[in-house]
């Protein structure tokens, strides 16, 4: 293994000790103490390598590596926050890989005849996971104008702490602003298609479409030990039937060509006492598919089932917040560039779709974007046992370096087409 | 309305302000600040009426009214703790009714030719509800030897606070001990059979049989946005299917003669994050019936369904703690005595069964026990809208007074058959 790759693995091991859990994962939820420790660790690392670090108004962290003063910026990034009892690779791998790849591209340019056409910024997007503060992909959603900074900052966690308060508590908020000309992200696959086909690199061609719903099932509180069935309006029964229905819909609507995946990850019961029929359950249900028509059919079925469940459990089901994105393609030129870069390094690659949302899902809507995957062992993710092998991690860093090098050389987007961006210097972040 | 009944209602209104909720109910969960306030309020009230108050080692509160020094004791009681957002009648009515009835029986005996054969103790049983600390009916379960004091005291709430710590914090724990010769309890029905048949008083002839289970559904944590259905071991799906199955079992096994009721009141999902397939759900399921054979058939069906659900959701379901009681009868002589007392007052009455557990469910296993119900409007209970009308409350106090009077006169149990009980004076309760 090259010393550069060994250095990457050493840094990765070091980062993985921050917020480490007993089961071999990490717990670094957004803007917690552990997330703050990790952000500062990363800042220390990259400042030592010649980057300068800034924060924007919603806590996105920018590590700036200037190759050519005044040139426009190319971004590479992912997120350092994790799920509770999450894996140590999800997001964190991509941010660290971005920093190493940027340095390698810088070193390669030092020997080049022509100067670089772009500078490189590594972005650690705030709160991609969305477990402490909803919605997920919060930092990149603000950056791409999908939600406002004020909405994000006023969001509260279950204890009533706002994003603003939490970011101020860990001291990683500022007023930096930066436009970028293109975006690259590398991430673990979190599925097992690469492993199953023994391929090193996934080139992401599109996202799945997804409809996400927040349902509120309203029943009436009653005594479990005294209320006969006919008198019950059992919110827990209604919500449970909805979870079961969601799975049935996934199985019913999946075809050989287009899979449907339904999920429910959060489910809160009130008052949740052993002898009380629940008065209310709040739950999140999402429906995803690679095909818009299949998704629409599954979605219609879900809403028909909601009406049936209302009658069966004698409850009223409200649909609260919702959030949808269509199946969308990544940049085709980017897909070709990444494939050629992989070929040049002798890395096997294949085209994949991403079922999960990533910050690149947002970024691809505003700038040309490339998304790369490295394999996950057994597809296990959001789990302390999440694993990407060392050889796959370093292959990803090598590919990312090559992709960045090609981009700063003007092979993806043109510097002359890009508005010269002003960097607003941060005044409050230290 | 008599001034005595008016005094009862005034005291009831005063007590209902302690731990009052915006919705007209109370939140006085066991050994919380509000429960402590109410215990002290009750102590102040009854000490002013000539009772003396003691606590035993698990926080049961004894209000002693001595009619004849050295005579054995008859207990009347219920519980002052409530559900979160509970009603103001459940339990609290019975304790206050007991104190008023004891005073009325004492006053009636002052005019009697023969002296009383018993003294009267009003017992406020600790933690009948079981919402903060499980199991329910904790104080009477220790008193009747079903669990040990040590087990009860070491039980923790969701924040890790033990019963011992919580009782010490509100200062209502001691070392008092007292044996009693008989027990009487009056309670709101929490169902609507009395209201539906326009009857004032329910004479409880038996409890329903109940099997209560704590299930742990074990899946595997995974990313909702990246894990295909075939790879999921979704604990939330398994637990939801179990909730739905429980309802199906109730409907399937209920007959015209014997109803089956199934419930799930507590349901906790881990890690409960919006984008994570749940790794574990802990839930409580109970199955109740008036008939032991019907109960056994429903129970067998539930366990068969557990195995099916394990396969369907690819999860492993463990059965944790369980707790069962058979359908059992109350004392037949007590039923007759209460019916005659009601007749003497011109109160309509009927025989009912109790679906819910009460402290009398425990007490009837060790001493002759009488259980009385007053109507609940629309059967609503464990709900802030729980209501028992003033006229029904005062009718109940009048009947309870008459029943107690007959018991202290030796019409239920014989004082000579009763071991002379020593009162161990409390040393640590203040």
């Amino acid at each position: 293994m090259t010393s550069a790759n060994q250095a990457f693995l050493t840094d990765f091991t070091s980062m993985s000790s921050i917020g480490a859990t007993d089961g071999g994962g990490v717990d670094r939820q957004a803007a917690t103490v552990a997330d703050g420790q990790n952000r500062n660790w990363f800042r220390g690392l990259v400042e030592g390598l010649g980057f300068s670090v800034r924060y924007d108004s919603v806590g996105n962290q920018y590590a700036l590596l200037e190759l050519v003063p005044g040139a426009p910026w190319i971004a590479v990034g992912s997120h350092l926050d994790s799920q509770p009892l999450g894996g140590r690779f999800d997001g964190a791998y991509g941010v660290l890989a971005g920093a190493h790849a940027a340095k390698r591209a810088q070193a390669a340019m030092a020997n080049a005849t022509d100067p670089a056409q772009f500078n490189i910024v590594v972005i650690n997007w705030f709160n991609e996971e969305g477990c402490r503060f909803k919605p997920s992909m919060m930092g990149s959603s603000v950056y791409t104008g999908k939600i406002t900074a004020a909405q994000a900052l006023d969001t509260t966690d279950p204890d009533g702490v706002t994003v603003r308060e939490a970011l101020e508590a860990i001291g990683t908020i500022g007023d930096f602003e930066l436009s970028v000309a293109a975006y690259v992200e590398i991430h673990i696959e979190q599925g097992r298609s690469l492993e199953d086909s023994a391929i090193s690199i996934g080139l992401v061609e599109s996202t799945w479409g997804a409809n996400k719903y927040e349902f509120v099932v309203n029943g009436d509180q009653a005594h479990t030990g005294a209320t006969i069935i006919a008198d019950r309006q059992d919110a827990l029964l209604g919500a449970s039937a909805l979870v079961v229905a969601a799975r049935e819909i996934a199985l019913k609507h999946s075809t050989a060509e287009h899979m449907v995946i339904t999920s429910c990850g959060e489910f809160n019961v009130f008052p949740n006492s052993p002898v009380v029929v629940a008065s209310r359950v709040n739950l999140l249900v999402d429906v995803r598919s690679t095909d818009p028509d299949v998704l629409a059919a599954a979605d219609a079925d879900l809403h028909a089932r909601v009406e049936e469940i209302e009658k069966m459990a004698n409850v009223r089901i409200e649909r609260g917040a919702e959030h949808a994105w269509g199946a969308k393609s990544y940049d085709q030129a980017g897909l070709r560039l990444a494939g050629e870069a992989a070929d040049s390094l002798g890395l096997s690659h294949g085209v994949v779709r991403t079922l999960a949302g990533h910050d690149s899902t947002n970024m691809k809507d505003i700038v040309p974007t490339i998304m790369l995957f490295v394999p996950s062992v057994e597809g296990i993710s959001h789990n302390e046992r999440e694993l990407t092998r060392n050889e796959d991690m370093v292959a990803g860093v090598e590919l990312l370096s090559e992709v960045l090098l090609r981009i700063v050389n003007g092979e993806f987007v043109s510097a002359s087409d890009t508005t010269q961006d002003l960097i607003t210097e941060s005044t409050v972040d230290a």
Side-chain angles (χ1 to χ4, degrees), chain A residues 8-27:
Chain A
F8 172 82
L9 294 175
T10 301
D11 286 343
F12 188 76
T13 301
S14 178
M15 181 167 66
S16 300
S17 70
I18 298 170
T21 58
D22 292 343
V26 294
D27 186 346

mmCIF file with all atom_site columns, all heavy atoms in Angstrom, chain A residues 8-27:
data_model
loop_
_atom_site.group_PDB
_atom_site.id
_atom_site.type_symbol
_atom_site.label_atom_id
_atom_site.label_alt_id
_atom_site.label_comp_id
_atom_site.label_asym_id
_atom_site.label_entity_id
_atom_site.label_seq_id
_atom_site.pdbx_PDB_ins_code
_atom_site.Cartn_x
_atom_site.Cartn_y
_atom_site.Cartn_z
_atom_site.occupancy
_atom_site.B_iso_or_equiv
_atom_site.pdbx_formal_charge
_atom_site.auth_seq_id
_atom_site.auth_comp_id
_atom_site.auth_asym_id
_atom_site.auth_atom_id
_atom_site.pdbx_PDB_model_num
ATOM 1   N N   . PHE A 1 8  ? -4.171  7.856  4.714  1.00 0.00 ? 8  PHE A N   1
ATOM 2   C CA  . PHE A 1 8  ? -5.631  7.974  4.741  1.00 0.00 ? 8  PHE A CA  1
ATOM 3   C C   . PHE A 1 8  ? -6.227  7.053  5.806  1.00 0.00 ? 8  PHE A C   1
ATOM 4   O O   . PHE A 1 8  ? -7.070  7.456  6.611  1.00 0.00 ? 8  PHE A O   1
ATOM 5   C CB  . PHE A 1 8  ? -6.246  7.649  3.368  1.00 0.00 ? 8  PHE A CB  1
ATOM 6   C CG  . PHE A 1 8  ? -7.740  7.585  3.430  1.00 0.00 ? 8  PHE A CG  1
ATOM 7   C CD1 . PHE A 1 8  ? -8.490  8.758  3.382  1.00 0.00 ? 8  PHE A CD1 1
ATOM 8   C CD2 . PHE A 1 8  ? -8.406  6.374  3.592  1.00 0.00 ? 8  PHE A CD2 1
ATOM 9   C CE1 . PHE A 1 8  ? -9.871  8.721  3.493  1.00 0.00 ? 8  PHE A CE1 1
ATOM 10  C CE2 . PHE A 1 8  ? -9.786  6.332  3.706  1.00 0.00 ? 8  PHE A CE2 1
ATOM 11  C CZ  . PHE A 1 8  ? -10.522 7.502  3.658  1.00 0.00 ? 8  PHE A CZ  1
ATOM 12  N N   . LEU A 1 9  ? -5.777  5.797  5.800  1.00 0.00 ? 9  LEU A N   1
ATOM 13  C CA  . LEU A 1 9  ? -6.343  4.825  6.749  1.00 0.00 ? 9  LEU A CA  1
ATOM 14  C C   . LEU A 1 9  ? -6.033  5.205  8.193  1.00 0.00 ? 9  LEU A C   1
ATOM 15  O O   . LEU A 1 9  ? -6.859  5.019  9.091  1.00 0.00 ? 9  LEU A O   1
ATOM 16  C CB  . LEU A 1 9  ? -5.837  3.417  6.428  1.00 0.00 ? 9  LEU A CB  1
ATOM 17  C CG  . LEU A 1 9  ? -6.313  2.856  5.078  1.00 0.00 ? 9  LEU A CG  1
ATOM 18  C CD1 . LEU A 1 9  ? -5.632  1.502  4.811  1.00 0.00 ? 9  LEU A CD1 1
ATOM 19  C CD2 . LEU A 1 9  ? -7.841  2.702  5.047  1.00 0.00 ? 9  LEU A CD2 1
ATOM 20  N N   . THR A 1 10 ? -4.848  5.750  8.410  1.00 0.00 ? 10 THR A N   1
ATOM 21  C CA  . THR A 1 10 ? -4.482  6.188  9.767  1.00 0.00 ? 10 THR A CA  1
ATOM 22  C C   . THR A 1 10 ? -5.421  7.312  10.228 1.00 0.00 ? 10 THR A C   1
ATOM 23  O O   . THR A 1 10 ? -5.931  7.297  11.347 1.00 0.00 ? 10 THR A O   1
ATOM 24  C CB  . THR A 1 10 ? -3.012  6.675  9.783  1.00 0.00 ? 10 THR A CB  1
ATOM 25  O OG1 . THR A 1 10 ? -2.187  5.588  9.362  1.00 0.00 ? 10 THR A OG1 1
ATOM 26  C CG2 . THR A 1 10 ? -2.600  7.145  11.176 1.00 0.00 ? 10 THR A CG2 1
ATOM 27  N N   . ASP A 1 11 ? -5.635  8.278  9.326  1.00 0.00 ? 11 ASP A N   1
ATOM 28  C CA  . ASP A 1 11 ? -6.554  9.365  9.674  1.00 0.00 ? 11 ASP A CA  1
ATOM 29  C C   . ASP A 1 11 ? -7.966  8.827  9.918  1.00 0.00 ? 11 ASP A C   1
ATOM 30  O O   . ASP A 1 11 ? -8.668  9.270  10.828 1.00 0.00 ? 11 ASP A O   1
ATOM 31  C CB  . ASP A 1 11 ? -6.608  10.421 8.558  1.00 0.00 ? 11 ASP A CB  1
ATOM 32  C CG  . ASP A 1 11 ? -5.362  11.286 8.514  1.00 0.00 ? 11 ASP A CG  1
ATOM 33  O OD1 . ASP A 1 11 ? -4.601  11.304 9.517  1.00 0.00 ? 11 ASP A OD1 1
ATOM 34  O OD2 . ASP A 1 11 ? -5.136  11.947 7.471  1.00 0.00 ? 11 ASP A OD2 1
ATOM 35  N N   . PHE A 1 12 ? -8.374  7.861  9.097  1.00 0.00 ? 12 PHE A N   1
ATOM 36  C CA  . PHE A 1 12 ? -9.738  7.322  9.250  1.00 0.00 ? 12 PHE A CA  1
ATOM 37  C C   . PHE A 1 12 ? -9.894  6.620  10.601 1.00 0.00 ? 12 PHE A C   1
ATOM 38  O O   . PHE A 1 12 ? -10.914 6.779  11.283 1.00 0.00 ? 12 PHE A O   1
ATOM 39  C CB  . PHE A 1 12 ? -10.088 6.370  8.105  1.00 0.00 ? 12 PHE A CB  1
ATOM 40  C CG  . PHE A 1 12 ? -11.535 5.953  8.141  1.00 0.00 ? 12 PHE A CG  1
ATOM 41  C CD1 . PHE A 1 12 ? -12.533 6.828  7.719  1.00 0.00 ? 12 PHE A CD1 1
ATOM 42  C CD2 . PHE A 1 12 ? -11.914 4.716  8.637  1.00 0.00 ? 12 PHE A CD2 1
ATOM 43  C CE1 . PHE A 1 12 ? -13.872 6.479  7.794  1.00 0.00 ? 12 PHE A CE1 1
ATOM 44  C CE2 . PHE A 1 12 ? -13.252 4.353  8.718  1.00 0.00 ? 12 PHE A CE2 1
ATOM 45  C CZ  . PHE A 1 12 ? -14.236 5.239  8.289  1.00 0.00 ? 12 PHE A CZ  1
ATOM 46  N N   . THR A 1 13 ? -8.874  5.870  10.983 1.00 0.00 ? 13 THR A N   1
ATOM 47  C CA  . THR A 1 13 ? -8.919  5.194  12.281 1.00 0.00 ? 13 THR A CA  1
ATOM 48  C C   . THR A 1 13 ? -8.985  6.216  13.408 1.00 0.00 ? 13 THR A C   1
ATOM 49  O O   . THR A 1 13 ? -9.742  6.058  14.380 1.00 0.00 ? 13 THR A O   1
ATOM 50  C CB  . THR A 1 13 ? -7.675  4.300  12.456 1.00 0.00 ? 13 THR A CB  1
ATOM 51  O OG1 . THR A 1 13 ? -7.669  3.358  11.398 1.00 0.00 ? 13 THR A OG1 1
ATOM 52  C CG2 . THR A 1 13 ? -7.689  3.582  13.797 1.00 0.00 ? 13 THR A CG2 1
ATOM 53  N N   . SER A 1 14 ? -8.217  7.256  13.274 1.00 0.00 ? 14 SER A N   1
ATOM 54  C CA  . SER A 1 14 ? -8.211  8.290  14.299 1.00 0.00 ? 14 SER A CA  1
ATOM 55  C C   . SER A 1 14 ? -9.597  8.936  14.417 1.00 0.00 ? 14 SER A C   1
ATOM 56  O O   . SER A 1 14 ? -10.160 9.062  15.512 1.00 0.00 ? 14 SER A O   1
ATOM 57  C CB  . SER A 1 14 ? -7.147  9.328  13.937 1.00 0.00 ? 14 SER A CB  1
ATOM 58  O OG  . SER A 1 14 ? -7.145  10.368 14.869 1.00 0.00 ? 14 SER A OG  1
ATOM 59  N N   . MET A 1 15 ? -10.183 9.302  13.286 1.00 0.00 ? 15 MET A N   1
ATOM 60  C CA  . MET A 1 15 ? -11.510 9.933  13.313 1.00 0.00 ? 15 MET A CA  1
ATOM 61  C C   . MET A 1 15 ? -12.546 8.993  13.907 1.00 0.00 ? 15 MET A C   1
ATOM 62  O O   . MET A 1 15 ? -13.455 9.426  14.630 1.00 0.00 ? 15 MET A O   1
ATOM 63  C CB  . MET A 1 15 ? -11.928 10.351 11.910 1.00 0.00 ? 15 MET A CB  1
ATOM 64  C CG  . MET A 1 15 ? -13.289 11.027 11.887 1.00 0.00 ? 15 MET A CG  1
ATOM 65  S SD  . MET A 1 15 ? -13.627 11.860 10.323 1.00 0.00 ? 15 MET A SD  1
ATOM 66  C CE  . MET A 1 15 ? -13.707 10.468 9.230  1.00 0.00 ? 15 MET A CE  1
ATOM 67  N N   . SER A 1 16 ? -12.413 7.703  13.625 1.00 0.00 ? 16 SER A N   1
ATOM 68  C CA  . SER A 1 16 ? -13.427 6.741  14.078 1.00 0.00 ? 16 SER A CA  1
ATOM 69  C C   . SER A 1 16 ? -13.447 6.568  15.589 1.00 0.00 ? 16 SER A C   1
ATOM 70  O O   . SER A 1 16 ? -14.389 5.988  16.138 1.00 0.00 ? 16 SER A O   1
ATOM 71  C CB  . SER A 1 16 ? -13.199 5.380  13.406 1.00 0.00 ? 16 SER A CB  1
ATOM 72  O OG  . SER A 1 16 ? -13.287 5.512  12.004 1.00 0.00 ? 16 SER A OG  1
ATOM 73  N N   . SER A 1 17 ? -12.406 7.069  16.274 1.00 0.00 ? 17 SER A N   1
ATOM 74  C CA  . SER A 1 17 ? -12.408 6.967  17.747 1.00 0.00 ? 17 SER A CA  1
ATOM 75  C C   . SER A 1 17 ? -13.289 8.044  18.373 1.00 0.00 ? 17 SER A C   1
ATOM 76  O O   . SER A 1 17 ? -13.646 7.964  19.547 1.00 0.00 ? 17 SER A O   1
ATOM 77  C CB  . SER A 1 17 ? -10.985 7.084  18.288 1.00 0.00 ? 17 SER A CB  1
ATOM 78  O OG  . SER A 1 17 ? -10.511 8.414  18.125 1.00 0.00 ? 17 SER A OG  1
ATOM 79  N N   . ILE A 1 18 ? -13.666 9.065  17.571 1.00 0.00 ? 18 ILE A N   1
ATOM 80  C CA  . ILE A 1 18 ? -14.499 10.148 18.115 1.00 0.00 ? 18 ILE A CA  1
ATOM 81  C C   . ILE A 1 18 ? -15.958 9.706  18.099 1.00 0.00 ? 18 ILE A C   1
ATOM 82  O O   . ILE A 1 18 ? -16.506 9.352  17.062 1.00 0.00 ? 18 ILE A O   1
ATOM 83  C CB  . ILE A 1 18 ? -14.304 11.433 17.287 1.00 0.00 ? 18 ILE A CB  1
ATOM 84  C CG1 . ILE A 1 18 ? -12.848 11.882 17.380 1.00 0.00 ? 18 ILE A CG1 1
ATOM 85  C CG2 . ILE A 1 18 ? -15.261 12.527 17.769 1.00 0.00 ? 18 ILE A CG2 1
ATOM 86  C CD1 . ILE A 1 18 ? -12.476 12.992 16.418 1.00 0.00 ? 18 ILE A CD1 1
ATOM 87  N N   . GLY A 1 19 ? -16.563 9.699  19.286 1.00 0.00 ? 19 GLY A N   1
ATOM 88  C CA  . GLY A 1 19 ? -17.958 9.247  19.395 1.00 0.00 ? 19 GLY A CA  1
ATOM 89  C C   . GLY A 1 19 ? -18.086 7.752  19.200 1.00 0.00 ? 19 GLY A C   1
ATOM 90  O O   . GLY A 1 19 ? -19.175 7.254  18.880 1.00 0.00 ? 19 GLY A O   1
ATOM 91  N N   . ALA A 1 20 ? -16.987 7.008  19.386 1.00 0.00 ? 20 ALA A N   1
ATOM 92  C CA  . ALA A 1 20 ? -17.014 5.557  19.148 1.00 0.00 ? 20 ALA A CA  1
ATOM 93  C C   . ALA A 1 20 ? -17.971 4.861  20.111 1.00 0.00 ? 20 ALA A C   1
ATOM 94  O O   . ALA A 1 20 ? -18.090 5.245  21.275 1.00 0.00 ? 20 ALA A O   1
ATOM 95  C CB  . ALA A 1 20 ? -15.614 4.976  19.309 1.00 0.00 ? 20 ALA A CB  1
ATOM 96  N N   . THR A 1 21 ? -18.669 3.848  19.614 1.00 0.00 ? 21 THR A N   1
ATOM 97  C CA  . THR A 1 21 ? -19.577 3.072  20.451 1.00 0.00 ? 21 THR A CA  1
ATOM 98  C C   . THR A 1 21 ? -18.965 1.703  20.736 1.00 0.00 ? 21 THR A C   1
ATOM 99  O O   . THR A 1 21 ? -18.047 1.267  20.024 1.00 0.00 ? 21 THR A O   1
ATOM 100 C CB  . THR A 1 21 ? -20.934 2.864  19.739 1.00 0.00 ? 21 THR A CB  1
ATOM 101 O OG1 . THR A 1 21 ? -20.690 2.190  18.492 1.00 0.00 ? 21 THR A OG1 1
ATOM 102 C CG2 . THR A 1 21 ? -21.607 4.199  19.459 1.00 0.00 ? 21 THR A CG2 1
ATOM 103 N N   . ASP A 1 22 ? -19.487 1.035  21.743 1.00 0.00 ? 22 ASP A N   1
ATOM 104 C CA  . ASP A 1 22 ? -18.946 -0.273 22.138 1.00 0.00 ? 22 ASP A CA  1
ATOM 105 C C   . ASP A 1 22 ? -19.042 -1.293 21.003 1.00 0.00 ? 22 ASP A C   1
ATOM 106 O O   . ASP A 1 22 ? -18.227 -2.198 20.912 1.00 0.00 ? 22 ASP A O   1
ATOM 107 C CB  . ASP A 1 22 ? -19.718 -0.826 23.344 1.00 0.00 ? 22 ASP A CB  1
ATOM 108 C CG  . ASP A 1 22 ? -19.463 0.001  24.594 1.00 0.00 ? 22 ASP A CG  1
ATOM 109 O OD1 . ASP A 1 22 ? -18.464 0.760  24.591 1.00 0.00 ? 22 ASP A OD1 1
ATOM 110 O OD2 . ASP A 1 22 ? -20.241 -0.110 25.549 1.00 0.00 ? 22 ASP A OD2 1
ATOM 111 N N   . GLY A 1 23 ? -20.042 -1.132 20.154 1.00 0.00 ? 23 GLY A N   1
ATOM 112 C CA  . GLY A 1 23 ? -20.270 -2.128 19.101 1.00 0.00 ? 23 GLY A CA  1
ATOM 113 C C   . GLY A 1 23 ? -19.451 -1.865 17.846 1.00 0.00 ? 23 GLY A C   1
ATOM 114 O O   . GLY A 1 23 ? -19.725 -2.476 16.804 1.00 0.00 ? 23 GLY A O   1
ATOM 115 N N   . GLY A 1 24 ? -18.481 -0.943 17.892 1.00 0.00 ? 24 GLY A N   1
ATOM 116 C CA  . GLY A 1 24 ? -17.625 -0.723 16.740 1.00 0.00 ? 24 GLY A CA  1
ATOM 117 C C   . GLY A 1 24 ? -18.131 0.352  15.792 1.00 0.00 ? 24 GLY A C   1
ATOM 118 O O   . GLY A 1 24 ? -17.561 0.566  14.720 1.00 0.00 ? 24 GLY A O   1
ATOM 119 N N   . GLY A 1 25 ? -19.207 1.033  16.165 1.00 0.00 ? 25 GLY A N   1
ATOM 120 C CA  . GLY A 1 25 ? -19.712 2.116  15.324 1.00 0.00 ? 25 GLY A CA  1
ATOM 121 C C   . GLY A 1 25 ? -19.417 3.458  15.950 1.00 0.00 ? 25 GLY A C   1
ATOM 122 O O   . GLY A 1 25 ? -18.476 3.601  16.746 1.00 0.00 ? 25 GLY A O   1
ATOM 123 N N   . VAL A 1 26 ? -20.199 4.458  15.577 1.00 0.00 ? 26 VAL A N   1
ATOM 124 C CA  . VAL A 1 26 ? -20.059 5.794  16.161 1.00 0.00 ? 26 VAL A CA  1
ATOM 125 C C   . VAL A 1 26 ? -21.453 6.355  16.446 1.00 0.00 ? 26 VAL A C   1
ATOM 126 O O   . VAL A 1 26 ? -22.432 5.971  15.817 1.00 0.00 ? 26 VAL A O   1
ATOM 127 C CB  . VAL A 1 26 ? -19.305 6.766  15.223 1.00 0.00 ? 26 VAL A CB  1
ATOM 128 C CG1 . VAL A 1 26 ? -17.848 6.335  15.041 1.00 0.00 ? 26 VAL A CG1 1
ATOM 129 C CG2 . VAL A 1 26 ? -19.979 6.908  13.863 1.00 0.00 ? 26 VAL A CG2 1
ATOM 130 N N   . ASP A 1 27 ? -21.517 7.273  17.404 1.00 0.00 ? 27 ASP A N   1
ATOM 131 C CA  . ASP A 1 27 ? -22.733 8.043  17.658 1.00 0.00 ? 27 ASP A CA  1
ATOM 132 C C   . ASP A 1 27 ? -22.325 9.510  17.650 1.00 0.00 ? 27 ASP A C   1
ATOM 133 O O   . ASP A 1 27 ? -21.817 10.035 18.629 1.00 0.00 ? 27 ASP A O   1
ATOM 134 C CB  . ASP A 1 27 ? -23.348 7.637  19.001 1.00 0.00 ? 27 ASP A CB  1
ATOM 135 C CG  . ASP A 1 27 ? -24.707 8.324  19.223 1.00 0.00 ? 27 ASP A CG  1
ATOM 136 O OD1 . ASP A 1 27 ? -25.020 9.284  18.487 1.00 0.00 ? 27 ASP A OD1 1
ATOM 137 O OD2 . ASP A 1 27 ? -25.444 7.895  20.127 1.00 0.00 ? 27 ASP A OD2 1
#
